[in-house]
Amino acid sequence: MTPRLRDTPRTGQEPPRPPAGSGPVPDGPHVPVHEHITDALKAPAFVRLSGSVVLARFETMKVYAALGAVRELLDRGRIVPGQTLVDSSSGIYALALALACHRYGLGCHIVASTAVDTVTRAQLEVLGATVDQMPPSDSLRLDQERRVRHVRRLLAERPGLHWMRQYHDPVHLSGYREFAELAEKALPGGELTVVGAVGTGASTGGLTRALRGRGRAVRLVGVQPFGSVTFGSEGFRDPDALIAGIGSSVPFGNVRHELYDTLHWLDFRHAMAGAVSLLRAHAVFAGLSTGAAHLAARWEAAQHPGGTYLVLGADTGHRYTERVFARHTEAPDPHTLRPARIEALDALRPPWSVMRWQGRPAPEAARLPAHETAQVTRAQETAPGGAR
């Protein structure tokens, strides 16, 4: 499509010219008119950041998780039209679930983290979701535990609710099969390394499992904040707090530790550097988890040339406007940042460490209690194709 030119040229300058090769949209495949906004939101934009690094940029990537999960649950009869779905969320999944419920005529109840902002909450309420938000807390663990306890109380009071269990039910991995097909078409053949922040484990795990299931050789690089139990950094506390949406203070059943080849742990300032440089160098406005993945991918591509590095850009940067982008002059220069290479978790240290994970199992503190493991196993056994 021909780029839009300025209405008037800047003083003493020629109007900017369209890039070479631009012009009218050529004849080609049918351009769809979507029946619901979720179909438009779930599709990523693939943007080349360098010769070997490509960003899959989403408005909200968790639409894949929520939409895929709701469809499968309806198809398998685990939920029925008109039923109310409930889950705990720090924001992105809440909006994705509300959108999926809007599409399929389901009720939605969100037990929201203290971190959910007014913009997200307003969208949830207008979409018809009911919201219980936790009181302010400086402890992510306390916030998460409060939310889970509140969900359990709701289930006891209202037996007809269906708890989505985004952290544990493997049905959330299934939606990423469609993303895997798109990634294969956009980046056919050759070596592929997926670089993404690890929250619930659904996006990195679901995408990688689907790509490997299609016969693609994929290396998986996970990104974590300090203070997260998921990959053993719970002994640290980032003074600027955990990056929203990644890491966890409690074990998550959907994190498949054996899928990961390499792990990066970054603090807030390093994630900030990645997010600000992504906007400055590539005009991409994305969140802190994307910034952290971008910084890790830059380093990985420099250390291991060859192949393609696919960075998962989970959401936009809007909820970080004040905390990150308004303070852009404070962001470190990413070219000056290097990780400490470590061989074992006892050598882990801020502000940035990298380790070859090589499919290790979950650290002890990241393993689910026996009763939770049994619930996850039952869910896996009833998932399409069984537990994998």
Side-chain angles (χ1 to χ4, degrees):
M1 184 171 68
T2 304
R4 182 184 176 198
L5 302 181
R6 295 175 184 267
D7 293 333
T8 57
R10 290 167 289 179
T11 305
Q13 295 183 346
E14 292 292 326
R17 297 181 179 180
S22 66
V25 176
D27 293 336
H30 172 66
V31 178
V33 176
H34 300 296
E35 296 301 320
H36 193 269
I37 189 64
T38 48
D39 286 330
L41 289 180
K42 69 184 181 182
F46 291 95
V47 182
R48 191 170 298 280
L49 304 181
S50 70
S52 62
V53 180
V54 174
L55 172 70
R57 193 265 193 187
F58 293 86
E59 183 169 338
T60 172
M61 183 169 63
K62 287 197 174 181
V63 168
Y64 270 120
L67 202 61
V70 168
R71 283 174 172 165
E72 286 213 8
L73 292 172
L74 285 167
D75 288 345
R76 289 153 51 188
R78 285 178 58 189
I79 60 175
V80 296
Q83 192 170 1
T84 295
L85 312 185
V86 62
D87 213 346
S88 159
S89 174
S90 61
I92 302 175
Y93 178 79
L95 184 56
L97 183 60
L99 288 165
C101 289
H102 182 277
R103 177 169 188 166
Y104 289 107
L106 295 155
C108 181
H109 188 93
I110 299 298
V111 177
S113 165
T114 185
V116 170
D117 59 21
T118 55
V119 174
T120 301
R121 178 158 183 162
Q123 290 182 79
L124 292 173
E125 291 174 347
V126 173
L127 284 166
T130 50
V131 181
D132 293 338
Q133 189 159 9
M134 294 298 98
S137 172
D138 292 330
S139 166
L140 177 63
R141 184 180 187 90
L142 178 59
D143 181 60
Q144 288 181 318
E145 289 176 347
R146 278 176 174 168
R147 283 186 271 147
V148 172
R149 285 199 301 269
H150 190 73
V151 170
R152 293 189 186 280
R153 282 197 298 271
L154 289 171
L155 293 170
E157 295 166 3
R158 300 165 58 186
L161 294 176
H162 177 84
W163 187 6
M164 291 296 292
R165 302 178 81 243
Q166 64 151 325
Y167 306 135
H168 304 310
D169 192 335
V171 73
H172 289 89
L173 282 71
S174 64
Y176 291 97
R177 289 194 294 260
E178 184 179 343
F179 177 28
E181 293 176 14
L182 293 177
E184 277 280 80
K185 292 176 182 177
L187 306 167
E191 298 177 8
L192 181 65
T193 298
V194 172
V195 185
V198 186
T200 66
S203 58
T204 48
L207 173 62
T208 300
R209 191 176 71 171
L211 286 169
R212 290 176 180 172
R214 297 169 65 90
R216 186 78 180 262
V218 179
R219 179 169 166 258
L220 179 57
V221 175
V223 178
Q224 281 277 279
F226 286 95
S228 170
V229 71
T230 308
F231 285 92
S233 68
E234 68 275 9
F236 299 90
R237 187 175 185 275
D238 186 340
D240 288 296
L242 292 179
I243 304 163
I246 73 171
S248 174
S249 64
V250 296
F252 285 171
N254 275 342
V255 178
R256 307 297 174 79
H257 293 76
E258 71 279 4
L259 294 176
Y260 296 85
D261 299 283
T262 298
L263 256 295
H264 287 254
W265 295 262
L266 297 94
D267 71 359
F268 172 87
R269 285 180 57 77
H270 281 64
M272 179 184 190
V276 170
S277 69
L278 189 58
L279 180 57
R280 180 174 289 133
H282 304 288
V284 175
F285 186 49
L288 274 181
S289 66
T290 305
H294 171 227
L295 192 63
R298 280 170 49 109
W299 185 85
E300 288 284 338
Q303 300 303 307
H304 310 285
T308 299
Y309 290 81
L310 178 62
V311 179
L312 304 187
D315 62 347
T316 66
H318 290 89
R319 64 175 171 167
Y320 299 105
T321 300
E322 295 298 325
R323 191 176 173 208
V324 173
F325 295 100
R327 297 166 49 196
H328 61 89
T329 57
E330 302 173 28
D333 179 355
H335 296 92
T336 67
L337 305 177
R338 301 286 185 277
R341 299 178 192 244
I342 63 172
E343 299 296 328
L345 286 174
D346 58 10
L348 186 65
R349 64 182 184 273
W352 183 6
S353 292
V354 59
M355 173 179 164
R356 294 178 65 193
W357 189 259
Q358 297 179 299
R360 287 176 169 83
E364 185 65 34
R367 297 174 189 173
L368 290 175
H371 69 281
E372 288 278 8
T373 301
Q375 290 177 346
V376 172
T377 300
R378 285 196 296 272
Q380 290 172 340
E381 288 172 349
T382 58
R388 286 176 290 179

